[in-house]
């Protein structure tokens, strides 16, 4: 992996659904003082707010599919254009065309990607996580059901939390299949470019966070 810039690294976080990208992406961003974008959380917010984008995205997400590049690329470009420093992307790029789009956008702005990290978790472990995963619709904290406070409250902000609407087992299997077919080639591409580091994400989240911090600050 190429060493990221000292002050403002640009990082993409890759991995299958339920591997912990959201949790670890936020922690990386907080630790290193970076911007953070979860495309999945952004889209769920749009669906809940019944925006035009949300209405287009809802049936696609309900089928466990990724949004087409014609929708995702402009969302990413708009977000990137608002960033004044480094960032962490969680959920983009999900496909080779998206990775190429990101490369071209960065090159056009005199920038480049510093690091790509792949979070690795076995399929059966992912399935167990999905069956117990909960999310807070207010602060977007994500975790496991036993972590909730009494009354089903979010441990981060105290708002009611529960299962995501798209977290059925059938939906997960569909999203995992799309990860295999679309995103594994992205991981292979970054490996070939010398940008990729892999991280075993089966450990407790604090341990995984410590591993990632070591990778990015070494």
């Amino acid at each position: 992996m190429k060493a990221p810039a000292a002050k403002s690294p640009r990082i993409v976080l890759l991995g299958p659904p339920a591997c912990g990208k959201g949790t670890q992406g936020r922690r990386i961003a907080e630790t290193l003082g970076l911007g953070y974008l979860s495309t999945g959380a952004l889209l769920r917010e749009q669906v809940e707010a019944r925006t035009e984008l949300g209405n287009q995205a809802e049936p696609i997400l309900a089928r466990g599919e990724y949004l087409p590049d014609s929708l995702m690329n402009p969302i990413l470009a708009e977000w990137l254009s608002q960033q004044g420093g480094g960032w962490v992307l969680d959920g983009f790029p999900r496909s080779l065309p998206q990775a190429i789009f990101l490369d071209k956008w960065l090159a056009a702005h005199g920038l480049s990607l510093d690091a790509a990290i792949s979070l690795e978790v076995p399929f059966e472990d992912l399935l167990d996580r999905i069956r117990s995963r909960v999310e807070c619709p207010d602060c977007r904290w994500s975790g496991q059901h036993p972590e909730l406070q009494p009354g089903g409250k979010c441990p981060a902000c105290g708002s009611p939390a529960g299962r995501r609407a798209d977290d059925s087992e059938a939906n997960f299997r569909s999203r995992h299949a799309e990860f295999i077919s679309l995103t594994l080639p992205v991981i292979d591409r970054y490996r070939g470019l010398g940008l990729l580091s892999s991280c075993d994400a089966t450990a407790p989240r604090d341990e995984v966070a410590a591993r990632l911090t070591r990778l990015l600050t070494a």
Side-chain angles (χ1 to χ4, degrees):
M1 180 182 72
K2 184 176 73 174
K7 292 184 179 180
S8 56
R10 290 170 289 275
I11 302 161
V12 296
L13 199 56
L14 306 165
C19 70
K21 293 190 299 296
T23 296
Q24 298 303 334
R26 289 184 182 88
R27 293 187 70 160
I28 291 171
E30 290 171 3
T31 299
L32 301 182
L34 307 174
Y36 170 71
L37 175 66
S38 165
T39 57
L42 182 150
L43 292 173
R44 290 191 293 277
E45 289 169 1
Q46 296 294 309
V47 169
E48 291 163 5
R50 310 307 304 175
T51 66
E52 181 178 352
L53 172 61
N55 290 336
Q56 294 179 72
E58 185 172 21
I60 300 171
L61 297 176
R63 294 193 299 269
E65 298 174 0
Y66 293 157
L67 261 67
D69 296 346
S70 60
L71 288 178
M72 286 308 309
N73 290 350
I75 292 171
L76 180 81
E78 180 179 0
W79 187 85
L80 290 176
S81 68
Q82 298 170 359
Q83 305 308 301
W87 35 253
V88 180
L89 297 183
D90 157 16
F92 195 102
R94 293 189 186 275
S95 66
L96 282 175
Q98 289 184 0
I100 293 168
F101 173 84
L102 176 60
D103 285 350
K104 289 181 177 179
W105 190 96
L106 289 169
H109 292 79
L111 303 170
S112 62
L113 191 66
D114 293 300
I117 296 178
S118 173
L119 298 182
E120 300 184 349
V121 180
F123 180 83
E124 290 302 324
D125 289 0
L126 295 170
L127 197 53
D128 288 342
R129 291 183 182 187
I130 283 290
R131 289 167 175 157
S132 183
R133 184 162 67 174
V134 289
E135 183 177 84
C136 175
D138 289 343
C139 74
R140 293 300 168 185
W141 170 88
S142 180
Q144 299 294 296
H145 190 272
E147 297 176 89
L148 295 178
Q149 293 179 341
K153 299 297 181 65
C154 170
C157 73
S159 297
R163 290 200 56 148
R164 282 169 31 179
D166 62 345
D167 258 357
S168 69
E169 185 170 325
N171 192 307
F172 163 75
R173 290 181 181 275
S174 175
R175 285 185 286 141
H176 192 275
E178 292 222 325
F179 165 78
I180 295 296
S181 63
L182 297 177
T183 311
L184 281 186
V186 176
I187 292 173
D188 289 339
R189 182 174 188 271
Y190 287 137
R191 182 180 290 110
L193 293 172
L195 290 170
L196 186 77
S197 288
S198 298
C199 179
D200 179 354
T202 59
R205 64 181 63 183
D206 288 347
E207 186 176 334
V208 175
R211 291 175 184 173
L212 293 173
T213 299
R214 288 193 295 270
L215 280 174
L216 292 166
T217 57

